[in-house]
Amino acid sequence: MSNHKLLQTWRWYGPNDPVSLQDVKQAGASGIVSALHYIPHGEVWPLEDIKERKAIIEASGLTWSVVESVPVHEAIKTRRADADKYIENYKQSLRNLAAAGLKTICYNFMPVLDWTRTQLDLEMPNGAKALYFNWTDLAIFDLHIFKRAGAEADYPAEIVAKAKTKLETMSQAELDLLRTNVLMGIPNEKEIELETLRASIEEYKVIGHEGLQKNLAWFLASIAETCTELCIKMTIHPDDPPYPILGLPRIASTKEDLVAILRSVDQPFNGICYCTGSLGAGTKNNLVELFEAVKERVYFLHLRNVSKDEEGNFFEADHLGGDVNMYEVMKVVTAENSKRAEPIPFRPDHGHQMLDDLNKITNPGYSAIGRLRGLAELRGLELGITGNY
Ligand code: DNO
C-alpha cells in the first residue's frame, strides 16, 4: 500500500494554447498532457520535435506526463490496403516518444470524428457556459444539413418530429453554427469536411461494429511487441458520446466493450483512459462497476461530470455535480492508486467557461478557470477520502 496522491495533470495544447504553463502551475497541476497537434495524422512524430515540446514544458518546472493523443490514422481504423505503412509510422512515433521518456499514450478508435457536441456555450443558471449534446440538434444536422441517406431510421420518431419543428425556427447562421460545432475537431488539427465524412460513413457501413472491433484488435496486436519492449502503456479513450452517431459504429462505450478490448490483446500495455464524462453520458453505464471491471489496466483518468435528461441529451456539469457520483468514483480510484507503484495521472477534463474566461477566446472545454475549479474540487475530494495530507 502506498499513500501517494493521484498525479494532477492538465491538458496543454502547446505554445499556441491561450492557457500558459504558468497558469497551469498556479492551478496546482504538476503534470502536463500534451500532443504535437500540428503533425498530420499518420505521420511520424520526429524525436527532435518531441524533445523540443518536452524542453518547453520542463523549462517551466512541469513534467510531460501523458501524450494525448497519438492519433490513429483512418487507414488503420478501416484497415485499408495501405494500413501497414501507418502501423510502421505509429510504431516509429512510439519509439521516438519512448526515447524521450514518454510512456503513457492516449488514443481513441472513434471513426472519423473525435468527441461530438451540438452546442459549445450552453448557459448555466449562474451564467457560466458548458458544452452540450442534444439529439434533436444532432438530428437537424444529420437529416437536414448533412442529409445522410436513411438517417431517419436512426432516431426515435419524436426526435425526428422535434427536429423538423425546430428547423423551421432556425436562421441560416444558427444552422451554420450547428454544422461547425458537430464537425469541430481538436484545436490545431485539420477540420473534417462534409464530403470526407460522407465517404467515411460508406466505408464504415461495410466494416460494421464487429469489423471495427477486429481492426482495433489488429492494431493492438501490431503494436504489442513495440509497446512491451519500450514499457509503453496505451490507453484507449472511450467514445464520446458513448453511442453510435451518424451511422458510425462505436466499440468503446460500455463496460462490456472495454473488457472485450482488454481481452482482445490481453497484455499489460493494453490499457484504458477512464473518462467519467464520456462513459457517464451512457444511460446504462455504472461508473463504479465499470471501473472495478477494468481497474488494473486504467493508466489515465479523465474526471468530469455530465447531467443527462430523459432523452439522453446531456450537458457538462460541475465536476462534483451531475450524474456521476464523483465521491464513489474517487473512492475506488484512490483505492486502486494506493496499490500502484506509480501514481495514476488524472486531469480535470473540461470545465465551464466562467468568470474572466467568458471574455476570452478559449478552446471549448479547455478554458483555464473552470478546469482550475474542477482540479481544486477533485484534489480536495481525494484528500478528504484518503486523508493523505
Ligand atoms: C476531449 C478529449 C478527447 C480525447 C481523445 C483521445 O476533450 O477528451 O478529444 O483527447 O478522444 O484520443
Side-chain angles (χ1 to χ4, degrees):
M1 291 289 270
S2 148
N3 63 358
H4 54 211
K5 294 180 183 152
L6 294 166
L7 178 65
Q8 296 172 37
T9 71
W10 186 277
R11 187 179 206 171
W12 186 62
Y13 283 106
N16 296 334
D17 194 322
V19 181
S20 70
L21 290 171
Q22 179 78 5
D23 295 341
V24 178
K25 285 206 314 197
Q26 291 185 12
S30 59
I32 288 291
V33 174
S34 198
L36 305 182
H37 297 282
Y38 60 88
I39 298 194
H41 290 196
E43 283 185 19
V44 175
W45 289 21
L47 181 56
E48 279 320 301
D49 293 44
I50 298 167
K51 282 187 175 160
E52 184 192 15
R53 175 66 58 89
K54 190 170 183 239
I56 295 171
I57 292 168
E58 288 179 355
S60 314
L62 294 159
T63 308
W64 189 358
S65 312
V66 178
V67 184
E68 178 181 357
S69 309
V70 183
V72 179
H73 194 271
E74 284 295 309
I76 295 178
K77 293 182 191 164
T78 55
R79 208 169 165 181
R80 268 178 223 148
D82 57 348
D84 287 343
K85 172 183 127 193
Y86 290 102
I87 292 279
E88 285 316 308
N89 286 359
Y90 205 94
K91 290 202 284 195
Q92 191 54 48
S93 293
L94 293 179
R95 281 186 209 109
N96 292 349
L97 287 164
L102 293 159
K103 307 221 168 175
T104 304
I105 316 290
C106 184
Y107 71 103
N108 73 74
F109 222 72
M110 287 179 252
V112 209
L113 297 168
D114 199 310
W115 58 306
T116 304
R117 295 289 180 274
T118 53
Q119 193 184 337
L120 307 176
D121 59 354
L122 182 75
E123 196 159 319
M124 300 284 99
N126 64 11
K129 290 180 179 163
L131 306 183
Y132 185 47
F133 179 89
N134 179 283
W135 284 106
T136 301
D137 290 336
L138 188 74
I140 294 175
F141 169 82
D142 201 0
L143 304 176
H144 303 288
I145 300 176
F146 188 39
K147 300 191 170 71
R148 177 169 63 92
E152 236 183 83
D154 289 347
Y155 299 89
E158 312 84 77
I159 297 288
V160 174
K162 272 175 125 176
K164 212 169 160 200
T165 314
K166 185 168 175 189
L167 175 71
E168 283 157 20
T169 69
M170 287 174 83
S171 66
Q172 192 54 48
E174 285 170 325
L175 290 169
D176 290 346
L177 182 61
L178 174 60
R179 174 193 153 125
T180 309
N181 290 346
V182 172
L183 297 178
M184 158 107 64
I186 306 293
N188 308 325
E189 292 185 17
K190 203 169 150 258
E191 295 279 304
I192 179 103
E193 313 265 339
L194 277 190
E195 284 323 303
T196 318
L197 181 59
R198 214 178 291 285
S200 290
I201 286 170
E202 286 309 311
E203 205 175 358
Y204 280 103
K205 234 189 236 168
V206 180
I207 294 167
H209 186 263
E210 241 177 78
L212 190 60
Q213 278 178 322
K214 282 195 185 133
N215 292 353
L216 172 57
W218 169 74
F219 165 66
L220 289 167
S222 307
I223 61 168
E225 212 181 294
T226 307
C227 291
T228 306
E229 232 172 71
L230 302 169
C231 297
I232 279 188
K233 292 192 167 65
M234 295 296 295
T235 68
I236 189 164
H237 187 282
D239 304 324
D240 185 1
Y243 298 106
I245 54 165
L246 308 175
L248 294 163
R250 296 288 221 195
I251 56 165
S253 298
T254 63
K255 178 178 87 181
E256 291 69 29
D257 286 347
L258 297 179
V259 169
I261 291 168
L262 296 185
R263 294 220 179 108
S264 70
V265 179
D266 212 352
Q267 299 174 30
F269 85 91
N270 178 16
I272 305 267
C273 166
Y274 174 76
C275 174
T276 56
S278 306
L279 294 164
T283 46
K284 298 202 183 103
N285 286 340
N286 174 327
L287 273 284
V288 169
E289 199 185 290
L290 199 153
F291 184 79
E292 291 293 347
V294 296
K295 62 184 178 188
E296 283 87 3
R297 299 267 194 89
V298 171
Y299 304 131
F300 186 29
L301 306 157
H302 284 182
L303 301 180
R304 70 175 163 87
N305 223 315
V306 288
S307 192
K308 306 182 280 290
D309 66 18
E310 59 294 340
E311 276 179 2
N313 310 312
F314 62 88
F315 66 85
E316 299 196 359
D318 289 328
H319 290 77
L320 305 190
D323 299 343
V324 176
N325 184 330
M326 203 57 84
Y327 173 67
E328 295 299 336
V329 166
M330 190 59 97
K331 279 203 289 192
V332 288
V333 161
T334 49
E336 178 61 21
N337 190 47
S338 71
K339 294 186 210 149
R340 298 286 180 94
E342 298 292 330
I344 310 174
F346 83 95
R347 64 178 181 85
D349 188 23
H350 303 182
H352 287 167
Q353 193 182 356
M354 61 194 291
L355 305 177
D356 200 36
D357 280 339
L358 288 166
N359 307 313
K360 292 185 186 162
I361 296 182
T362 60
N363 288 325
Y366 289 92
S367 49
I369 302 171
R371 284 190 290 163
L372 183 152
R373 175 180 167 175
L375 179 63
E377 292 180 345
L378 290 164
R379 79 161 77 90
L381 179 62
E382 180 190 8
L383 178 60
I385 288 172
T386 63
N388 295 335
Y389 198 71

